[in-house]
């Protein structure tokens, strides 16, 4: 049977699709949309630039979320970020290494690296060994990633995806190694742990802005704009709903 | 750039080493470790170039404004001052009147500063953006580590913005250095001396070397400009007669070499060097030619002698950049003086390494060319009695092994100091964020160790003694009360309830969750409830078995084999839960042993999840709990969803508790203790750890408070100092 | 009995070796980590075979009659295509399988985000304003609490607003004053939440440490006494 | 456009699954269930493929000419032993149970214990790492909830209004959590839809 929630959900989905398409089309004629400054992403750009110049490696870790879980969108955002980083650092002697804690995610990270290098006309840079599974269970994933952190001449760690708070161990190891670390997760406990440990923590929704801030495609900018529109829509609904509820009309 | 190969034994020594740590021989022919001036003295001349500063530097400023040639070399040895004869001082004074002081020199426009960034066009736009000189925030702190002269330069005037300087420069240097770069115009002074050799150097990769030059040797060049001048003046003003002190092998060179026309640089030169470097000044255009030609030939020869052309790029990078060769340039000057014989205090022992290197074998082994006695009669052998024979044994006995030359650039103390300065300058640029220096990381390690040992020690003591002083919680959160009441209501029912237990925690947190859940499972078992375990993670089935075994041991009357079924691992996360909500028998068809589960006595007749009396979720994971709430809860509207959560997930689950999507919840040891308090459980598992837990939490809170106060105060002090 | 002791000793030494990381990274810790990754991968592979592939693909293909079998042929083919991902040259053959995986995964995430989180949280945020049936002065407390939480939620949402002002087509990076004010307040609520979560994570980790230390004591006690 | 077939599959499968989730009518639910079953199988296969890849990476590390990593050998040995034991004895065998309870549990729980120390040190050094009033609020909040979490305050039931104060304080984090969760939901929505619109194609390698 069709529920009201389902219909409303479908409405929200179609509204979002329409907004993304419209803003993307409008964006073609206008200049790039303006977004607030997020210092962590500026530092990430700099550290990528420095990694390229001093021939050290960038490590992108995508988390442990399975593609069959609702949390996989954080990993998808991580993959878009990996794509950008791989393209940007294609002039580096040491291409970036991507680690993950799920099989599907590992294969996607390899595909992402391959397509990124193809897009910058440097397919020879692709090495499947650079998209790795470091452990199949959450904690073994962390154990394997710790090894990458300390043994692969990494100067910048980008942690974007779904993690447990144990990711703090990786961030701490990165700090010991004197490397830059930017960490973003959709998991609240992980965010809390990373806020205290990581050098540049990214809070909540900002995770999904990473590709846009690294200069990804126009559709990424459009989806950020859509997020802003929906945000205020939700705020209006919250206020309206609260009033109606207080008046007993809902 | 960080090691020197010993020319005698080939052992790699650190850049600071003066003598080889292996063979204990001196690494630098032209440096006497004992006589080498201390670093502070090396820096004195740098202080002289401050625009302002202490009294001493103010005095130095006066000197620099009207260059007293004799005084400037005080950088190397201030005592030389007194040794200079009075007549020479007069000549120098006259000379200085003709020449503009460095301060008065016209400054070169930034455009004139060449930007040696070969690969820049290949770099992506945003890297160029980075290079547009927005300096990383934390660079202010490292500035504290910068040498005095560099900080004083930061205060210098007529400084164009960083952006005006070549992007490469602004990228690598922070402001003071960029400003230091503005001193460049004063370089032309010693160009004839400096650039002529450089222009012809066939180094593997000259461009990076020039980057380094642009960055670091600015005050250095200025120093050389002034240092070289008096030498030029002397060689010009004094009769140019061959010195008797000079070694013979130098003389023919002097006559053979053809002076290159420095005032008209060749295209190849102009390719390698910026135009301004070729601006001839009346003072030195002609006069510098002589030392220049000396440098030219000798340096060339010395390089060919040590095979500099054949150095691999890596090795040449490992050596020092070209700008550091200025010291050799200084030495050329001194060699010119040696010929002129005007500076008696210049010792032969100060002859630079490259000069040693290019000496003919006679110079290396002087005894080899022993004078032949024409009247000598061979006393022995088959030629006995013959006269005027060449003495064979001389060569055989006196033959010495040809000297070994290091492939690496030989560096003087001064060069090493500049190199170290350069390294410190770029050190903070090699990473974004706060520079984690050796000291702080060691402190961090010590802090970590001590905190760890204190915490572990305290917990061990609490666990061993177990004094039972920690009071149990009397204030129970409402969600825990609801949890307790639901369990009591269901277990008190006439027909024993059938419960779906979702086990969704990792082995990492089994210590916490199995401890909390143990009492809850025991209560279900006491009510003879049927328990069907399903897990969303790989280790779940084993953990379920462990949990059942633990709880079952406390309830011997409970028939585990009949009343418990382990549906095993449910792959697919949220999607699997969605499938479970729609058709459980299809989503989890068999038990972990492979036996069809839904025909079993326990699950017989069940078609949907709403047939269960309650769903108990043991979780440490907010996202999977969200999946249970989003996928399963809508399918079991009336069935209560009870959550036993780890403390780490509790705050994130509170919104769901408040919104009523979670019926009841106990979280962490505190929730477990509260539940045990409600059930009046004797020797509950949480109670056993309660002292250690409460003590540990308070100890961590105390650590945090103290640390925050200390570092907070340190920050305040630092801010007030800055202000 | 002897095997029980052996397993207990293995657990004991593994615990000690991992806890040695407190004193800094060391060879023994790295060794244990590698063994752990290997064992967990082995266990996962076994479980995937017995709990996923065998009951959901292999058994149906072997046991079911042909008409019902056809349904399982598609995942079998897609699974085989996925194996080509092991070969760098042929990995493109596995793309359709990955596409299916990604597409369905994205749909599940969207469904969960909209109906579960978004609607669920909106409902949760406005529910305290349902004052019907609230006795006495409780309604004021509930209303105040509801207003504070709603305000906090709105401000937290506003904090994440990405849009910024432009001046002559240039991104100024600054936001309208209203959003700045709301964002500041939102930051406070977010910081409070992260602090509470941090305390929760510490509590859970401490519980794990206590349980491990208790285990060590329980192993040593009989040996000492 | 690259990989048109894969893109079509992703869009079609995703679209049908989403419709099945939001409009639970018979044909759509059946299709969704079927697709989900296929995806579960594929996720399993992907897991195995990735594990093989993990082993190959460590094999390469072990047999590398330079910088051999002998720990990789232990990883491979541990895998082989566990895998063979599991295949022969099956997961429900007590030995396999013990591999979890006596190897995985001690290692993982001990790592969590180490995390407790790491987080304590991070809490101590918080203001050294970053200042700002957000950090100050974070530190105060963490301290307060550590004390509350210790159960010390819950013990004193006789203190008036303490219960209400505790309830109010415990409710405070809900606001921020809601804000973050809703924001993440919005991000998930747009990110997921980018995949369903074929704008993001991580599978097009």
């Amino acid at each position: 049977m069709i529920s009201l929630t389902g219909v409303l959900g479908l409405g929200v989905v179609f509204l979002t699709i329409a907004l993304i398409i419209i803003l993307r089309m409008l964006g073609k004629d206008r200049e790039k949309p303006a977004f607030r400054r997020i210092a962590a992403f500026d530092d990430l750009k700099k550290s990528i630039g420095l990694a390229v110049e001093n021939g050290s490696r960038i490590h992108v870790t995508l988390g442990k979320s399975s593609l069959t879980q609702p949390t996989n969108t954080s990993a998808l955002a991580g993959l878009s970020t990996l794509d950008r980083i791989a393209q940007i650092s294609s002039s580096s002697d040491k291409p970036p290494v991507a680690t993950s804690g799920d099989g599907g995610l590992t294969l996607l990270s390899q595909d992402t690296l391959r397509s990124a290098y193809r897009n910058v006309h440097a397919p020879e840079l692709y090495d499947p060994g650079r998209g790795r599974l470091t452990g199949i269970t959450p904690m073994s994933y962390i154990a394997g990633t710790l090894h990458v952190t300390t043994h692969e001449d990494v100067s910048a760690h980008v942690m974007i995806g779904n993690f447990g708070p144990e990711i703090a161990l990786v961030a701490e190891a990165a700090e010991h190694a004197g490397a830059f670390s930017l960490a973003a997760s959709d998991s609240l406990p992980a965010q809390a742990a990373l806020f205290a440990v990581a050098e540049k923590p990214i809070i909540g929704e900002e995770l999904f802005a990473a590709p846009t801030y690294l200069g990804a495609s126009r559709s990424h900018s459009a989806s950020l704009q859509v997020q802003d529109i929906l945000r205020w829509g939700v705020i209006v609904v919250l206020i309206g709903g609260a009033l109606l509820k207080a008046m007993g009309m809902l | 750039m960080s090691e020197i190969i010993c020319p005698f034994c080939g052992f790699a020594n650190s850049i600071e080493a003066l003598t080889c740590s292996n063979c204990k021989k001196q690494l630098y022919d032209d440096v006497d470790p004992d006589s080498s001036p201390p670093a502070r003295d090396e820096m004195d001349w740098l202080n002289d170039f401050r625009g302002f500063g202490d009294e001493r530097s103010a005095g130095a400023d006066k000197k620099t404004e009207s260059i007293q040639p004799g005084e400037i070399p005080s950088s190397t040895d201030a005592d030389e001052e007194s040794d200079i004869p009075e007549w020479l001082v007069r000549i120098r004074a006259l000379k200085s009147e003709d020449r503009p002081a460095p301060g008065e020199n016209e400054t070169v426009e930034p455009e004139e500063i060449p930007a040696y960034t070969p690969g820049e066009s290949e770099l992506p736009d945003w890297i160029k953006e980075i290079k547009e000189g927005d300096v990383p925030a934390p660079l202010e702190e490292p500035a504290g580590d910068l040498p005095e002269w560099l900080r004083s330069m930061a205060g210098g005037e007529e400084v164009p913005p960083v952006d005006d300087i070549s992007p490469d420069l602004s990228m690598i240097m922070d402001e003071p250095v960029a400003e230091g770069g503005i001193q460049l115009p004063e370089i032309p002074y010693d160009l004839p001396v400096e650039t002529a050799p450089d222009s012809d150097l066939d180094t593997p990769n000259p461009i990076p070397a020039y980057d380094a030059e642009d960055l670091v040797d600015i005050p250095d060049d200025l120093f050389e400009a002034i240092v070289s001048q008096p030498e030029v003046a002397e060689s010009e003003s004094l009769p140019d007669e061959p010195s008797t002190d000079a070694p013979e092998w130098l003389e023919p060179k002097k006559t053979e070499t053809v002076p290159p026309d420095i005032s008209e640089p060749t295209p190849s030169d102009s390719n390698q060097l910026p135009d301004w470097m070729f601006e001839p000044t009346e003072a030195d255009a002609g006069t510098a030619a002589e030392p220049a030609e000396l440098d030219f030939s000798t340096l060339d020869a010395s390089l060919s002698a040590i095979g500099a052309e054949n150095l691999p790029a890596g090795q040449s990078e490992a050596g020092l950049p070209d700008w550091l060769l200025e010291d050799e340039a200084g030495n050329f000057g001194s060699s010119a003086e040696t010929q002129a014989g005007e500076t008696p205090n210049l010792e032969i022992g100060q002859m630079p390494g490259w000069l040693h290197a290019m000496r003919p074998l006679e110079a290396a082994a002087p005894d080899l060319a022993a004078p032949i006695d024409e009247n000598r009669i061979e006393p022995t052998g088959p030629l006995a009695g013959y006269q005027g024979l060449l003495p064979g044994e001389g060569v055989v006995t006196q033959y010495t092994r040809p000297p070994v030359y290091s492939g690496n650039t030989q560096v003087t103390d001064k060069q090493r100091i500049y190199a170290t300065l350069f390294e410190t300058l770029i050190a903070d640029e090699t990473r974004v964020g706060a520079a984690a220096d050796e000291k702080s990381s060691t402190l961090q390690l010590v802090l970590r160790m001590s905190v760890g040992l204190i915490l572990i020690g305290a917990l061990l003591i609490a666990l061993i003694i177990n004094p039972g002083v920690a009071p149990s919680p009397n204030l129970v959160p409402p969600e825990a009360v609801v949890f307790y009441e639901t369990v009591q209501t269901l277990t008190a029912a006439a027909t024993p309830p059938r419960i779906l237990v979702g086990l969704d925690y990792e082995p990492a947190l089994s210590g916490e969750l199995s401890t909390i859940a143990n009492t809850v499972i025991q209560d279900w078992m006491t009510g003879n409830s049927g328990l069907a375990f399903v897990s969303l993670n790989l280790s779940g089935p084993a953990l379920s078995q462990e949990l059942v075994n633990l709880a079952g041991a406390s309830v011997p009357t409970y028939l585990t084999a009949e009343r418990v079924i382990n549906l095993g691992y449910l792959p697919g996360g949220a999607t699997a839960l969605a499938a479970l909500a729609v058709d459980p028998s299809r989503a989890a068809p068999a038990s972990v042993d492979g036996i069809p589960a839904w025909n079993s006595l326990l699950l017989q007749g069940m078609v949907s999840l709403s047939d269960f009396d309650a769903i108990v979720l043991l979780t440490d994971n907010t996202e999977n709990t969200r999946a249970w709430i989003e996928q399963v809860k809508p399918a079991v509207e009336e069935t209560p969803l009870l959550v036993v959560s780890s403390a780490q997930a509790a705050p994130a689950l509170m919104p769901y508790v408040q919104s009523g999507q979670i019926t009841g919840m106990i979280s962490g040891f505190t929730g477990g203790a509260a539940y045990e308090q409600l059930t009046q459980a004797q020797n509950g598992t949480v109670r056993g750890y309660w002292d250690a837990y409460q003590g540990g939490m308070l100890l961590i809170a105390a650590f945090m408070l103290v640390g925050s106060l200390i570092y907070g105060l340190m920050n305040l002090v630092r801010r007030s100092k800055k202000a | 009995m002897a095997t029980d002791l052996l397993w207990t000793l293995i657990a004991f030494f593994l615990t000690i070796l991992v806890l040695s990381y407190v004193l800094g990274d060391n060879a023994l810790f790295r060794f244990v980590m590698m063994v752990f990754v290997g064992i967990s991968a082995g266990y996962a592979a076994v479980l995937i075979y017995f709990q996923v592939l065998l009951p959901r693909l292999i058994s149906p293909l072997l046991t079911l009659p042909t008409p019902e079998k056809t349904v399982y042929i598609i995942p079998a083919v897609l699974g085989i295509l996925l194996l080509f991902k092991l070969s760098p040259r042929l990995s493109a053959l596995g793309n359709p399988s990955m596409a299916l995986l990604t597409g369905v995964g994205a749909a599940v995430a969207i469904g969960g985000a909209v109906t579960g989180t978004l609607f669920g949280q909106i409902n949760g945020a406005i529910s305290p304003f349902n004052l019907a049936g609230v006795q006495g002065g409780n309604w004021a407390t509930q209303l105040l609490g509801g207003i504070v939480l709603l305000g906090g939620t709105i401000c937290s949402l506003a904090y994440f607003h990405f849009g910024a002002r432009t001046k002559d087509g240039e991104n100024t990076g600054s936001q309208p004053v209203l959003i700045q004010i709301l964002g500041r307040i939102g930051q406070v609520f977010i910081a409070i939440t992260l602090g509470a979560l941090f305390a929760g994570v510490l509590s859970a980790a401490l519980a794990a440490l206590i349980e491990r230390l208790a285990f060590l004591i329980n192993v040593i006690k009989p040996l000492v006494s | 456009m690259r990989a048109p077939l894969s893109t079509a599959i992703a869009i079609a499968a995703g679209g049908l699954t989403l419709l099945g989730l939001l409009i639970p009518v018979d044909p759509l639910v059946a299709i969704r269930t079927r697709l989900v079953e296929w995806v579960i199988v594929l996720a399993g296969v992907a897991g195995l493929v990735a594990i093989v890849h993990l082993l190959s990476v460590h094999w390469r590390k072990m047999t590398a000419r330079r910088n051999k990593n002998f720990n990789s050998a232990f990883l491979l040995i541990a895998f082989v032993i566990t895998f063979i034991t599991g295949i022969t004895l099956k997961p429900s065998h007590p030995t396999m149970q013990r591999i979890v309870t006596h190897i995985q549990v001690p290692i993982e729980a001990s790592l969590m214990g180490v995390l407790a120390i790491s987080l304590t040190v991070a809490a101590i050094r918080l203001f050294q790492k970053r200042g700002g009033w957000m950090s100050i609020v974070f530190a105060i909040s963490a301290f307060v909830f550590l004390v509350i979490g210790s159960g010390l305050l819950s013990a004193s039931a006789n203190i008036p209004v303490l219960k209400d104060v505790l309830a109010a304080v415990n409710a405070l984090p809900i606001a921020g959590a809601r804000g973050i969760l809703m924001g993440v939901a919005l991000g998930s929505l747009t990110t997921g839809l980018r995949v369903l619109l074929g704008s993001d194609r991580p599978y097009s390698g």
Side-chain angles (χ1 to χ4, degrees), chain A residues 43 45-50 53-54 68-71 88 138-139 162 165 172 175-176 178-180 186-189 199, chain B residues 124 126-127 130-131 134 136 171 429-434 444-445 448 506 508 572-575 622-624 648 652:
Chain A
D43 288 345
K45 287 180 190 175
K46 283 176 190 158
S47 56
I48 294 170
L50 288 166
E53 292 203 344
N54 61 28
T68 56
Q69 288 177 341
T71 51
I88 289 164
M139 201 51 106
N162 176 255
E172 191 197 30
E175 193 190 3
H176 278 301
F180 170 84
D186 58 345
S187 152
L188 288 172
E199 191 177 329
Chain B
W126 65 269
I127 290 188
I130 296 168
K131 295 184 175 188
D134 57 336
M171 166 79 186
E429 288 288 349
T430 54
R431 71 181 296 276
V432 178
Q444 195 182 330
L445 206 68
R448 189 169 187 272
E506 293 298 325
T575 50
T622 321
E623 290 75 32
N624 285 355
Q648 75 177 32

Side-chain angles (χ1 to χ4, degrees), chain A residues 15 27 31 39 41 43 51 66 68 82-83 109 111 114 121-122 143 147 151 167 174 180 188 199 222 235 237 246 249:
Chain A
L15 173 71
E31 71 275 354
F41 289 128
D43 288 345
S66 162
T68 56
L82 172 66
D83 180 64
S109 69
D111 290 346
R114 179 193 288 268
H121 309 292
H147 186 268
H151 288 76
I167 189 67
F180 170 84
L188 288 172
E199 191 177 329
I235 289 171
V237 169
M249 296 166 70

Side-chain angles (χ1 to χ4, degrees), chain B residues 76-295:
Chain B
T76 49
D77 187 1
D79 301 336
E80 277 180 31
E81 184 66 21
S82 55
D83 302 332
I84 299 169
E86 178 268 343
W87 59 267
L88 182 55
V89 175
R90 236 184 299 112
I91 294 168
R92 288 177 173 177
L94 286 168
K95 195 77 196 158
S96 65
E97 282 166 22
D98 311 339
R99 191 186 309 116
E104 298 156 11
N105 269 337
E106 74 288 317
T107 56
V108 175
E109 290 309 311
E111 302 82 61
E112 288 179 62
I113 303 168
Y116 296 104
T117 53
E120 194 173 349
S121 57
E122 293 127 41
L123 293 174
D125 296 346
W126 65 269
I127 290 188
K128 291 178 188 159
E129 282 168 30
I130 296 168
K131 295 184 175 188
E132 298 302 304
D134 57 336
V135 184
L139 282 177
E140 284 163 29
E141 281 191 24
D145 305 323
L146 293 177
E148 189 61 17
W149 62 271
L150 204 51
R151 261 189 267 122
S152 64
M153 278 185 176
E157 286 167 6
E158 20 172 272
V159 178
V162 179
D163 303 353
D164 295 351
I165 302 165
S166 79
D168 210 33
L169 197 65
S170 58
M171 166 79 186
I172 303 169
M173 305 292 289
D174 61 354
E175 253 182 73
V177 183
E179 286 160 0
I182 305 313
Q183 304 293 333
L184 273 167
E186 291 162 304
I187 293 169
Y189 255 98
D190 64 324
L191 279 177
V193 178
E194 263 235 312
T195 60
D198 285 356
S199 61
D200 271 30
L201 284 181
D202 185 19
T203 48
N205 184 8
I207 290 170
Y210 269 101
D211 284 345
E213 178 178 358
D214 292 343
L215 300 177
V216 184
D217 73 331
I218 290 91
D220 198 6
D221 284 345
L222 190 51
F223 167 62
E224 271 313 313
I226 301 151
V227 167
S228 60
Q229 207 50 49
E231 294 153 5
V232 171
E234 285 153 21
S235 54
E236 181 187 52
S237 59
L238 297 166
D240 184 77
E241 53 194 30
S243 159
T244 48
D245 306 343
E248 293 165 21
W249 54 269
L250 265 175
E251 285 187 54
K253 277 195 176 299
K254 222 177 137 207
T255 51
E256 282 159 25
T257 50
V258 181
D261 186 0
I262 295 156
S263 58
E264 291 170 20
T266 62
S268 65
D269 291 342
S270 56
N271 289 345
Q272 293 184 10
L273 294 170
D275 299 343
W276 56 264
M277 284 193 167
F278 296 94
E279 286 171 10
T281 57
E282 296 132 12
D284 54 25
T287 56
E290 202 166 9
E293 78 192 34
L294 258 176
D295 308 341

Side-chain angles (χ1 to χ4, degrees), chain B residues 202-205 306-319 407-409:
Chain B
D202 185 19
T203 48
N205 184 8
I306 61 168
E309 292 92 337
N310 310 329
L311 283 178
Q315 201 173 355
S316 66
E317 280 160 24
N408 276 33
T409 317

